């Protein structure tokens, strides 16, 4: 798995992601404690609203990020976003009003909404081989887990010596180091981009070009054969249309969006309600909030380490669907413990039970999220990956836009048991929907017809002689020439 770190460009990008996410993890703990300090028992509502604003920025700006990733040098985009996030983190320790928290969270997350899709879309170009990309997805998942494992543990240690406001300084340091790691890189261009950054040695671009040809079977750009490789980068409107059309038309991606909702239901409860559950419900100190979040991250990291080997045996669908069901089951257990009064009556036993449950939620979350990048990569041409990653970023975070405020407002008004029950029902419905939307048989290559194309069209050059008119087989993706998913043969 660590072999991909031999690539200098990816190594810098991975380290940049790791230090930025470690800083973000410190901010997650500090923000929860700040909300509890400012609002007391209403902290869940404040935190839920702040995180909903975060998702608003993600949903609104991620499509724009896809366009910026095509039109701006990728390095400039990533470094600029890091600097904006650094400034917002430096100001957060000095706020004393709830509205100020909301404003700074919105600014910081607007920059993240630009950074993250651009970063995600860069990795397949840096590591075009399927095996390397799968290993990179696992490492990326581990980096995300640092936000919920190493960062809370570090925060718990720091809180023993300093007030929580200093944790935001660690966040700023993470963004600064991220910018410094990306700054010396020359990043590979997109498949149809001749003006962006290029790798210093040219290796990544050559490998990427070979991968484009392999990924499409016959013809390196099936979706744009009529453009002869000179497609103009789309504007914001066309990028939104592309992303929405791909997700609505591709069965596995419709299922992925349902799975994202299941993850958001469980994750929303963990990130919003943990501080109230630990400090208010169980009466434990502030440092234990960090430990609970660390348990969530430990489960996620453990599964992420095992996934490369497991995915080779089971495949994506056989792993992701049961994991989504496990999320719903874990929330059901939490609901039972809270609604029955057991947790309040037995706080000494409830604390290790909570840690175990958070560990299981983290493990199931990782089993759903980590393979998601593989599904995206299978579902779009290399040139369209930035737009598809941006669209997925926006749509998936729309799920969190629903669950964050739901977790906060329900916990504040109806109690923690009601919050767990409603979010558990959401997770269960999403898991069942994903199982229905994702076909059991999901091959990459599909036979399909093109009755709309004229005889002799270059896209049909590989159609077999003597076979059905304008029917051929290749790796199928929704694009300009393939606007609808083929109907399975009966």
């Amino acid at each position: 798995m660590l072999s991909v770190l031999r690539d200098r460009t990816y190594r810098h990008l991975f380290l940049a992601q790791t230090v930025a996410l470690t800083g973000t993890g410190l901010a997650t703990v500090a923000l929860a404690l700040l909300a509890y300090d400012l609002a007391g028992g209403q902290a869940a509502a404040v935190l839920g609203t702040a995180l909903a604003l975060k998702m608003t920025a993600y949903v609104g700006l991620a499509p724009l990020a896809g366009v910026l990733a095509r039109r701006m040098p990728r390095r400039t985009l990533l470094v600029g976003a890091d600097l904006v996030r650094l400034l917002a983190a430096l100001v957060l320790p000095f706020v004393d009003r709830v509205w100020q928290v909301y404003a700074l969270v919105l600014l910081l997350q607007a920059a993240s909404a630009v950074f993250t899709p651009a970063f995600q879309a860069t990795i397949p170009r840096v590591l075009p081989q399927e095996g390397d990309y799968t290993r990179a997805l696992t490492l990326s998942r581990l980096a995300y887990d640092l936000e919920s494992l190493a960062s809370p543990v570090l925060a718990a240690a720091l809180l023993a010596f300093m007030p929580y406001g200093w944790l935001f300084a660690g966040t700023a340091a993470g963004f600064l180091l991220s910018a410094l790691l990306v700054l010396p890189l020359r990043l590979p261009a997109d498949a149809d981009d001749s003006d962006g950054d290029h790798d210093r040695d040219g290796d990544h671009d050559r490998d990427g070009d070979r991968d484009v040809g392999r990924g499409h079977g016959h013809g390196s750009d099936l979706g744009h054969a009529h453009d002869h490789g000179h497609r103009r980068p789309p504007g914001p409107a066309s990028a939104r249309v592309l992303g929405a059309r791909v997700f609505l038309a591709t069965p596995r991606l419709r299922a992925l969006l349902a799975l994202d909702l299941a993850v958001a239901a469980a994750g929303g409860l963990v990130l919003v309600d943990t501080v109230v559950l630990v400090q208010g419900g169980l009466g434990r100190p502030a440092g234990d909030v960090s430990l609970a979040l660390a348990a969530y991250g430990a489960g996620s990291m453990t599964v992420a380490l095992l996934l490369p080997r497991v995915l080779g045996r089971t495949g994506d669908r056989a792993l992701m669907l049961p994991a989504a069901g496990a999320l719903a089951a874990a929330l059901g257990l939490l609901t039972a413990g809270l609604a029955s009064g057991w947790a309040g009556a037995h706080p000494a036993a409830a604390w290790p039970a909570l840690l175990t449950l958070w560990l299981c939620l983290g493990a199931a979350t990782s089993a759903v999220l980590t393979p998601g990048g593989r599904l995206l990569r299978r579902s779009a041409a290399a040139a369209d990956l930035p737009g598809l990653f941006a669209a997925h970023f926006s749509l998936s975070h729309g799920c969190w836009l629903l669950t964050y405020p739901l977790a906060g407002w329900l916990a504040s008004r109806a109690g923690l048991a009601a919050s767990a029950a409603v979010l558990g029902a959401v997770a269960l419905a999403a898991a069942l929907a994903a199982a229905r939307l994702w076909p059991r048989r999901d091959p990459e290559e599909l036979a399909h017809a093109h009755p709309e194309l004229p005889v002799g069209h270059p896209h049909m050059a590989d159609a077999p002689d003597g076979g059905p008119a304008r029917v051929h087989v290749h790796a199928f993706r929704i694009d300009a020439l393939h606007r609808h998913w083929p109907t399975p043969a009966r």
Side-chain angles (χ1 to χ4, degrees), residues 12 280 427 449:
H12 273 244

Side-chain angles (χ1 to χ4, degrees), residues 281-282 333-355 357 417:
L282 301 181
L333 289 175
L334 178 63
T335 301
L338 293 172
S340 66
W342 180 84
H346 305 85
W351 173 237
L354 178 70
L355 293 178
L357 198 59

Side-chain angles (χ1 to χ4, degrees), residues 63 159 201 310 438:
L159 287 171
D201 300 321
V310 172
W438 197 343

